[in-house]
Amino acid sequence: MSLFHDWTDRLTLFADGHEISADERADLARRNVPVVDGRISEIAHVEGRLSSVNLDTGRAVAVDVLFARPRNRPSANLHEALGLEVVDTPVGIALKVDDRRETSVKGIYAAGDLANPMASVTLASSHGAMAAIFAQQSMLV
Ligand SMILES: Cc1cc2nc3c(=O)[nH]c(=O)nc-3n(C[C@H](O)[C@H](O)[C@H](O)COP(=O)(O)OP(=O)(O)OC[C@H]3O[C@@H](n4cnc5c(N)ncnc54)[C@H](O)[C@@H]3O)c2cc1C
C-alpha cells in the first residue's frame, strides 16, 4: 500500500492489490482519504520528478509525493540452503529466532533485517552483538 500527500491535506491510499476491510474503508472515508483500488503498474516520472501512479485498471493518478511501504525479502537464499525456519510478518519474511538470537537450527544465530521485521541500524547492531555473545557462549558450555 502507498500513501500520497499533495501538501493540501489531501491524502490518497493506493491499495495496490491489498485487501482493505470495510471497517478500514469507513475509517479512511471519515478522514476524507480516498482509496484507489487496482495494482500499481508504474510509478511515472517526468525529467526525474514523480508525476503519476499508473494502475493496471488504466487509470493514472497525478501525485507530488509518494510514501511506499515495501515488504522485506532476503536478497540471498543461504537461509533456505540451511533449512532455517521463517515467520511471515506484516512487513515481510523474517528468520525465526529465539531470545538468544538462535535460529531454528541449533548453533546458527542470526541478526539484522533478515531476523528482525523492525528494520533499524540500532537493533541490527544490538542483535548482532547478542548473536555473537550467545554463539560464543554455546561453544563454551
Ligand atoms: C532507505 C532506507 C533508509 C533507512 N533509514 C534508516 C534510519 O534512518 N535509521 C535506522 O536505524 N535504520 C534505517 N534503515 C534500516 C537500516 O538500513 C537496516 O535496518 C540495517 O542496515 C540492517 O542491517 P543489516 O546488516 O541487517 O543489513 P544490510 O545493511 O542490508 O547489510 C546486508 C549486507 O549484505 C550484503 N549481501 C547481500 N546479499 C549478499 C550475498 N549473497 N553475498 C554477500 N553479501 C551479500 C549486502 O550487500 C549488504 O551489504 C533504512 C533502510 C533503508 C532501505
Side-chain angles (χ1 to χ4, degrees):
M1 279 183 283
S2 305
L3 267 178
F4 153 65
H5 181 207
D6 72 0
W7 309 118
T8 56
D9 290 328
R10 208 169 73 88
L11 284 162
T12 299
L13 178 74
F14 293 95
D16 194 26
H18 292 273
E19 192 174 316
I20 300 185
S21 69
D23 282 354
E24 288 168 329
R25 283 178 189 270
D27 191 35
L28 288 163
R30 193 173 50 77
R31 296 163 193 261
N32 292 322
V33 176
V35 175
V36 176
D37 288 310
R39 290 200 78 98
I40 295 173
S41 56
E42 181 187 21
I43 297 170
H45 55 89
V46 176
E47 294 178 357
R49 289 186 66 99
L50 182 64
S51 60
S52 66
V53 172
N54 301 339
L55 300 146
D56 62 358
T57 55
R59 186 175 170 197
V61 182
V63 295
D64 293 325
V65 178
L66 188 67
F67 298 90
R69 199 201 66 181
R71 281 172 63 82
N72 297 339
R73 66 177 166 80
S75 56
N77 63 356
L78 180 62
H79 65 290
E80 288 172 357
L82 293 170
L84 307 182
E85 274 182 49
V86 295
V87 288
D88 197 17
T89 80
V91 293
I93 288 171
L95 292 189
K96 185 177 174 188
V97 289
D98 64 15
D99 291 345
R100 295 155 46 97
R101 315 304 305 172
E102 189 169 27
T103 67
S104 56
V105 174
K106 194 170 167 48
I108 298 181
Y109 294 75
D113 285 2
L114 186 59
N116 172 38
M118 293 175 290
S120 140
V121 170
T122 312
L123 287 175
S125 165
S126 154
H127 292 165
M130 285 170 62
I133 289 165
F134 287 120
Q136 187 202 27
Q137 277 187 7
S138 74
M139 290 185 267
L140 300 176
V141 269

